Amino acid sequence: MHIIDFFRSTLVLLALATHGSAAPFDKAGKKLWMSTPEHTIPPAGVPTSYPLNPSRRAQPPSGVHLPSPKDHPYPNEQDGHADFIRKPDQHPRAPGFQERAPVIKGVRSALDPNAQSPLNEGNPLAFKSKGHPYIPNTQLFDSSAIKTPLPTNRWWLNLMIEHGTDPIHPYPYVVRCLTNSSTVGMPKFTAAAEHVTSTQPSDWTISDAQNRLTQRRVTKTDALGVEVTWTGSGNAQMQSRFYKGMAFQTFEMQSMVPQLSTIHAILKVEKLGRTVLSARENVAEVTQDVANMPAVTKLTLNDGSQWLVAAKPAIDWTQTSTGKLQGNYTFSGFVQLAHLGDKPDSNINVLQRYVGTYPTEGAVTYAQVQTSDGTERAANIVFFYKTNTAANGDSNTIYNAQSVSPTVQLLTFALPHQMDLMNSTSVVSGGLSGYRSSKGPLTAIAGNIISYKQPLQQVGFAGPRALGSNEKAQIQRQLLKDAATSTNITAEDPYFFGKGVAKVARLLQIAQEVEDSASAASLSARLVSLLKPWLVSQTNSDPLVYDKTWGGIVSTLGLSDPSMDFGQGRYNDHHFHYGYFLYAGAVLASYDISLFAPFREPLNQLLRDYANPSYVDSQFPFMRHFDPYDGHSWAAGLFTFADGRNQESSGEAINAYYSAYLYAKALGFQDVASFYEIILNMEAHSGRRYWHPMRAQSEELYGKPFIHNTVGIVWASKVDHVTFFGANDEYVYGIQMLPFTPATSLLLTPDWVREAWSPGSSSGGMKAAAQAAGTNGWAQFLYSAYGMVDRNTALDKALTCTPDDGNTNTNVLHWILTNEQLTVAA
């Protein structure tokens, strides 16, 4: 029995006291676990229980070109200012749930996402079409504007599934959107030895004092965020656009009497009036600036926190006998809230310079750059925010930190991985203190553009180091054994079958590298025979089908039962599952395009399912899993989570985009391949930063006493040094490495491996974990990684282990021999 199959049927997850209770699935060990932080306190009327999480497996800057501030980034749109709240029908829609990506002047994307991808060759669906039993709740979104293909893994997805009242996490805040109101809170993070959790308070509830709001719906989405609109009687409306990293949470209102209520007691209300900082000498211009600024109020609560509330037009807040704050007239305008962090006196001086500006639309451009001599390969990752304010009444002008007065700039926060690569001139002078996310401290950035330069580490089909003749002979001897014993793949679900077929493809790729043409011919024939029942005849026991309700490809069993196939029928882990299929297709296409031909269309569609590079595809959403702001994917699908989205296996996420890159490259789709190479390197960078931090980085990000240099699960609001299938250290290390391919070298570095191998203050380290695992597949993963720093010891230990069902000794030998002492860009 393979090691992962053993764990599928025998592991019982350790239910950690701090993570709530749990119960397993009832079929073949596929029902896994969901944790809810003990500090989560939803508002009244919000369900306190959440579905179990079936998302895991019981298995082991400088130099960035910016456009001129006068350039108009959205040349086809000129928004007026007559209404604060724009109606859905004012936004022309492209097919699919997302807005058409805007054309940005001065920046050339790696590909045109507004065009059909070459992966969409206009052929019929390769899989039978069925409706999904889990019907979208159209009471939660505007179905006339947001159509199939629907989002299934976005960071804000809790707004569109179940009751729609579970929290979302627009860092640094936590937000709930209820039927008649919205709540905003500032989480408090607590580090422990094995996890970092956060409270998820509803510090403020924003509503209409006359209770006229009766419905809320998601009315618009874009590449970075989501728009929510509340409607009701008497023309009362409220609207907010939620983006990660915004210093203010902003609510536009029409015909409302604004009301702010809090779970705390309000100790002090200070009216600060209108404030503006201007370097201009013209008194009339400064006076006009002051008149245009929102009125600001500082609130002190009995939990020790202080908040800034800004309103335009000015609101004279009245405190009621029940402790609520109310406006004194029917209001049309906007209200902004911002927490004042851990240094309120200095933070408020910074925040007041930026009140009144908020985003109305977000866009991302991935622009590949390369020096003429090829010595530097990188991509400019550029976030553009369209805002409500700008000079001369033009709400679309892009600003950077050096171009205009702060009074019309957007104030945002950047995550640590962005700051690693960002041009420091955008950092706000004086900064803001006391703001963080589950990924560590946030840094204040000024301007409508956030941009950083992502280094691109090259990776291909072959290993990073050429093999010598003796090494080739050594690998070939092992290859002959594995080709005879390791290609009988009997798994019936898409995940384990995918691992198995990718294992055979690895053997085929390695056979070509060691120039064993006979083994390559035999393995290619075996690969074809394995893929046919799944992709051509579709006679396997759990065939894939196209879900016409949400827009994606799911397994038959997963469609009928959300607990089967690790929840992939509800869009969990598609990039993990289908990434293995795409790797097999890429290797086969590279080896013999004629053998690959029957699988071209079904594999094109599997790739479009999880990594579709086109906004205008009517069958699959754009980049289902990938979150550009966080720089990595979210694995969890159509299930609500109190802790927000999550991802466990950073290694399999990297494999998904590595496979996509190889596939596009093998088919000659150069622009698509360039795009996937950028996504791959972004995923790897975030993987190193958040799942594989050095211990000093871990302390910086997560705080003592959590000083592990491996994270098992990254959530939107917490991190865990466990997996969904167990807490053993070898599981936590191993799930972040597998599968071992040339792309694994993007994730692992010699320095990290060297440090992880030695004991830490709260962990025995990777060496102790490998020793505890004995000679199973988990131990083999850890010894393989150790090959980056000690080739001979790694080979001696790894080759005595029994491989995981997605691995072979041939692959282990090849990986260690081709990855010794490889260095990776920061």
Short mmCIF file of all heavy atoms in Angstrom, two decimals, residues 94 99-103 111-117 613-616:
data_model
loop_
_atom_site.label_atom_id
_atom_site.label_comp_id
_atom_site.label_asym_id
_atom_site.label_seq_id
_atom_site.Cartn_x
_atom_site.Cartn_y
_atom_site.Cartn_z
N ALA A 94 -18.38 42.27 -19.98
CA ALA A 94 -17.85 41.24 -20.86
C ALA A 94 -18.47 39.92 -20.46
O ALA A 94 -19.02 39.79 -19.36
CB ALA A 94 -16.33 41.17 -20.72
N GLU A 99 -15.38 42.14 -14.77
CA GLU A 99 -15.28 43.25 -15.70
C GLU A 99 -14.23 42.97 -16.76
O GLU A 99 -13.23 42.30 -16.50
CB GLU A 99 -14.86 44.51 -14.93
CG GLU A 99 -15.97 45.13 -14.10
CD GLU A 99 -16.92 45.93 -14.96
OE1 GLU A 99 -16.47 46.61 -15.88
OE2 GLU A 99 -18.12 45.84 -14.70
N ARG A 100 -14.45 43.50 -17.94
CA ARG A 100 -13.38 43.49 -18.94
C ARG A 100 -12.19 44.27 -18.39
O ARG A 100 -12.32 45.34 -17.83
CB ARG A 100 -13.89 44.13 -20.23
CG ARG A 100 -12.86 44.18 -21.35
CD ARG A 100 -13.45 44.86 -22.56
NE ARG A 100 -14.49 44.05 -23.15
CZ ARG A 100 -14.30 43.18 -24.12
NH1 ARG A 100 -13.08 42.98 -24.59
NH2 ARG A 100 -15.29 42.47 -24.61
N ALA A 101 -11.01 43.71 -18.53
CA ALA A 101 -9.82 44.38 -18.01
C ALA A 101 -9.59 45.68 -18.77
O ALA A 101 -9.64 45.70 -19.99
CB ALA A 101 -8.60 43.47 -18.15
N PRO A 102 -9.35 46.78 -18.07
CA PRO A 102 -9.14 48.06 -18.76
C PRO A 102 -7.80 48.08 -19.49
O PRO A 102 -6.86 47.39 -19.13
CB PRO A 102 -9.14 49.07 -17.61
CG PRO A 102 -8.71 48.28 -16.42
CD PRO A 102 -9.27 46.91 -16.62
N VAL A 103 -7.75 48.89 -20.53
CA VAL A 103 -6.50 49.09 -21.25
C VAL A 103 -5.73 50.18 -20.52
O VAL A 103 -6.22 51.29 -20.35
CB VAL A 103 -6.77 49.49 -22.71
CG1 VAL A 103 -5.47 49.79 -23.42
CG2 VAL A 103 -7.56 48.39 -23.41
N LEU A 111 0.25 39.42 -21.87
CA LEU A 111 -0.73 39.00 -22.87
C LEU A 111 -1.93 39.93 -22.76
O LEU A 111 -2.04 40.71 -21.82
CB LEU A 111 -1.14 37.54 -22.69
CG LEU A 111 -1.69 37.03 -21.35
CD1 LEU A 111 -3.09 37.53 -21.05
CD2 LEU A 111 -1.70 35.52 -21.34
N ASP A 112 -2.82 39.84 -23.71
CA ASP A 112 -4.03 40.66 -23.72
C ASP A 112 -5.17 39.86 -23.10
O ASP A 112 -5.73 38.97 -23.74
CB ASP A 112 -4.39 41.06 -25.16
CG ASP A 112 -5.64 41.93 -25.22
OD1 ASP A 112 -6.17 42.28 -24.14
OD2 ASP A 112 -6.09 42.24 -26.33
N PRO A 113 -5.54 40.13 -21.86
CA PRO A 113 -6.60 39.35 -21.23
C PRO A 113 -7.98 39.67 -21.77
O PRO A 113 -8.94 38.97 -21.45
CB PRO A 113 -6.48 39.75 -19.75
CG PRO A 113 -5.94 41.14 -19.80
CD PRO A 113 -5.01 41.18 -20.98
N ASN A 114 -8.09 40.72 -22.61
CA ASN A 114 -9.38 41.05 -23.20
C ASN A 114 -9.65 40.28 -24.48
O ASN A 114 -10.73 40.40 -25.06
CB ASN A 114 -9.45 42.55 -23.51
CG ASN A 114 -9.46 43.37 -22.24
OD1 ASN A 114 -10.00 42.95 -21.23
ND2 ASN A 114 -8.85 44.54 -22.29
N ALA A 115 -8.68 39.51 -24.92
CA ALA A 115 -8.85 38.69 -26.12
C ALA A 115 -9.06 37.23 -25.72
O ALA A 115 -8.71 36.81 -24.61
CB ALA A 115 -7.61 38.81 -27.01
N GLN A 116 -9.65 36.48 -26.62
CA GLN A 116 -9.76 35.05 -26.36
C GLN A 116 -8.36 34.44 -26.31
O GLN A 116 -7.49 34.77 -27.11
CB GLN A 116 -10.58 34.37 -27.45
CG GLN A 116 -12.07 34.62 -27.38
CD GLN A 116 -12.74 33.95 -26.19
OE1 GLN A 116 -12.12 33.21 -25.44
NE2 GLN A 116 -14.03 34.21 -26.02
N SER A 117 -8.16 33.57 -25.37
CA SER A 117 -6.88 32.88 -25.25
C SER A 117 -6.72 31.88 -26.38
O SER A 117 -7.70 31.27 -26.83
CB SER A 117 -6.82 32.16 -23.91
OG SER A 117 -5.81 31.17 -23.90
N PRO A 613 -6.51 32.45 -18.87
CA PRO A 613 -5.89 33.77 -18.95
C PRO A 613 -6.74 34.82 -19.67
O PRO A 613 -6.22 35.88 -20.02
CB PRO A 613 -4.61 33.48 -19.74
CG PRO A 613 -5.00 32.38 -20.68
CD PRO A 613 -6.01 31.54 -19.93
N SER A 614 -8.02 34.55 -19.89
CA SER A 614 -8.87 35.47 -20.65
C SER A 614 -10.09 35.89 -19.84
O SER A 614 -10.79 35.05 -19.27
CB SER A 614 -9.34 34.80 -21.95
OG SER A 614 -10.31 35.59 -22.60
N TYR A 615 -10.36 37.20 -19.84
CA TYR A 615 -11.56 37.71 -19.19
C TYR A 615 -12.83 37.44 -20.01
O TYR A 615 -13.94 37.53 -19.49
CB TYR A 615 -11.46 39.23 -18.98
CG TYR A 615 -10.60 39.64 -17.82
CD1 TYR A 615 -9.31 40.11 -18.03
CD2 TYR A 615 -11.08 39.61 -16.52
CE1 TYR A 615 -8.52 40.52 -16.96
CE2 TYR A 615 -10.30 40.00 -15.45
CZ TYR A 615 -9.02 40.45 -15.68
OH TYR A 615 -8.23 40.85 -14.63
N VAL A 616 -12.68 37.17 -21.30
CA VAL A 616 -13.85 37.11 -22.18
C VAL A 616 -14.22 35.68 -22.54
O VAL A 616 -14.96 35.45 -23.48
CB VAL A 616 -13.61 37.95 -23.45
CG1 VAL A 616 -13.46 39.41 -23.08
CG2 VAL A 616 -12.40 37.47 -24.24
#
